[in-house]
Amino acid sequence: MSETRIDHDRLFKELLSTFFEEFLLLFFPHVYEQVDFRHVSFLSEEVFTDVAAGEKHRVDLLVETKLKGEDGLIIVHIEHQSYTQPTFPERMFLYVSRLFQKYRRRILPIAIFSYDEHRDEPSSFTIKFPFLTVADFRFLTVELRKQPWCEYIRRDNPVAAALLSKMGYNESERVAVKREFLRMLVRLELDEAKQRLLFGFFETYLRLSEQEEIQLRNEVNEMETKEAKKVMDLIVSYEQRGVEKGMEKGKMDVAKRMLGKGYDVPTICELTGLPVEAVEKLKG
């Protein structure tokens, strides 16, 4: 479970750090309008120990930036939450307090809720008495499952494309969601690295069955000819990469077994076609 969670967090961090500006534009246009994106840097990860719970927590993303027309810096704290936690607002309050203690700057906290169930998440934490409100802490939120995916397919925004896979669709719409994701990817015309990031993110959370993939191809073939060709080329391209990746993994498995049986490195390289460096790594 821990391993999956770490990978889950890594995917969100890669997406948001690569497309930070597009993320704010998509979900918080009022914030986007105020930020000076000429001054954006990503701060080192912060790890906090929750003494009461007996666990450590890594803050997902810290972005240092400026508001337009101001000299002072602000820090955007983006916290990704993949599972339900009743005490989450309190936890956000503690993290922001500790970040403020360290940086002594204004901090804008944002929470992204990406679990698969519908909930009404609070966006504040209050400490008060009948006679005094001691703290009234508020943060911005995005609850992905509550977002109607159809409303995002006309936005040429890479974050919208990737997050279609986590939005509110039902089982009968799975093929349609991937079809529209591919159409968005074609329109965006991103470089290969960014396209691969979006495709990998989407496929992690919405992977079609073999039957659904056949249905997808049929629906693509019914699209307008020029667009259909581009989308089909994209499908074929990623299928070929998947086959190549599988073949590479197969070679690595064979090399491991050969090492276990005492074969020397040059022989393994000759028989598998793997480079010496790859086989040497397997020995460690």
Side-chain angles (χ1 to χ4, degrees):
M1 184 179 291
S2 176
E3 220 171 274
T4 304
R5 176 165 153 63
I6 291 171
D7 185 62
H8 189 78
D9 291 345
R10 178 185 61 79
L11 283 168
F12 267 83
K13 184 170 183 178
E14 285 182 2
L15 177 69
L16 298 178
S17 58
T18 304
F19 300 107
F20 171 67
E21 186 172 345
E22 291 86 347
F23 165 71
L24 287 185
L25 176 61
L26 183 66
F27 292 116
F28 306 106
H30 61 295
V31 176
Y32 173 86
E33 291 173 3
Q34 299 296 321
V35 173
D36 185 348
F37 290 99
R38 294 173 302 171
H39 302 277
V40 172
S41 60
F42 296 92
L43 303 178
S44 60
E45 292 181 334
E46 297 285 350
V47 179
F48 295 126
T49 301
D50 188 333
V51 178
E55 59 185 27
K56 288 187 177 180
H57 178 82
R58 189 181 303 276
V59 171
D60 291 335
L61 199 65
L62 284 180
V63 188
E64 186 177 70
T65 186
K66 286 185 177 182
L67 295 183
K68 293 176 180 176
E70 294 190 17
D71 292 330
L73 296 174
I74 64 167
I75 295 176
V76 179
H77 165 211
I78 298 175
E79 179 73 17
H80 160 250
Q81 181 75 350
S82 59
Y83 58 96
T84 59
Q85 186 181 38
T87 60
F88 182 76
E90 178 182 339
R91 202 181 79 182
M92 278 288 278
F93 171 71
L94 292 174
Y95 294 154
V96 170
S97 299
R98 291 170 184 175
L99 288 171
F100 181 78
Q101 183 180 28
K102 177 175 180 178
Y103 292 100
R104 298 291 175 173
R105 293 172 187 163
R106 288 178 297 176
I107 297 168
L108 176 64
I110 299 174
I112 304 171
F113 298 99
S114 66
Y115 37 72
D116 295 329
E117 59 189 76
H118 286 267
R119 287 170 58 90
D120 291 318
E121 286 291 343
S123 59
S124 64
F125 175 72
T126 306
I127 301 174
K128 64 180 180 180
F129 296 93
F131 49 84
L132 177 67
T133 297
V134 177
D136 187 9
F137 170 71
R138 300 175 184 276
F139 52 96
L140 298 174
T141 63
V142 181
E143 295 183 62
L144 293 176
R145 200 62 181 168
K146 286 185 176 180
Q147 307 302 316
W149 69 276
C150 289
E151 293 184 8
Y152 289 87
I153 60 177
R154 296 301 171 199
R155 306 195 194 188
D156 291 333
N157 186 305
V159 176
L163 292 181
L164 287 182
S165 60
K166 295 295 291 179
M167 290 183 182
Y169 57 86
N170 57 48
E171 286 298 303
S172 65
E173 295 176 312
R174 285 163 51 85
V175 173
V177 174
K178 184 166 183 180
R179 183 192 65 226
E180 295 306 320
F181 163 73
L182 292 169
R183 295 176 72 183
M184 292 174 76
L185 214 54
V186 165
R187 292 199 306 270
L188 286 166
E189 298 183 338
L190 300 169
D191 63 53
E192 187 179 343
K194 289 180 178 178
Q195 188 182 86
R196 209 163 47 235
L197 168 61
L198 297 184
F199 198 93
F201 186 101
F202 185 93
E203 286 280 297
T204 298
Y205 298 110
L206 203 172
R207 186 178 292 274
L208 299 183
S209 66
E210 187 176 340
Q211 189 60 41
E212 287 173 326
E213 286 289 352
I214 293 172
Q215 182 185 336
L216 172 65
R217 285 172 175 267
N218 291 336
E219 291 186 10
V220 169
N221 285 328
E222 293 174 4
M223 289 163 47
E224 187 271 325
T225 308
K226 187 176 179 181
E227 184 182 33
K229 183 181 184 310
K230 289 181 179 180
V231 172
M232 192 60 74
D233 286 346
L234 198 59
I235 293 173
V236 172
S237 170
Y238 278 95
E239 280 183 349
Q240 289 174 342
R241 289 178 193 177
V243 170
E244 290 169 4
K245 189 175 179 181
M247 291 174 64
E248 192 69 16
K249 185 179 183 304
K251 289 182 181 180
M252 298 294 276
D253 290 341
V254 170
K256 281 182 185 178
R257 289 197 295 271
M258 292 178 74
L259 283 170
K261 292 182 177 181
Y263 283 82
D264 58 59
V265 173
T267 301
I268 294 173
C269 292
E270 182 181 350
L271 294 176
T272 63
L274 290 170
V276 174
E277 297 78 12
V279 178
E280 288 288 353
K281 282 183 180 178
L282 291 176
K283 291 170 68 177

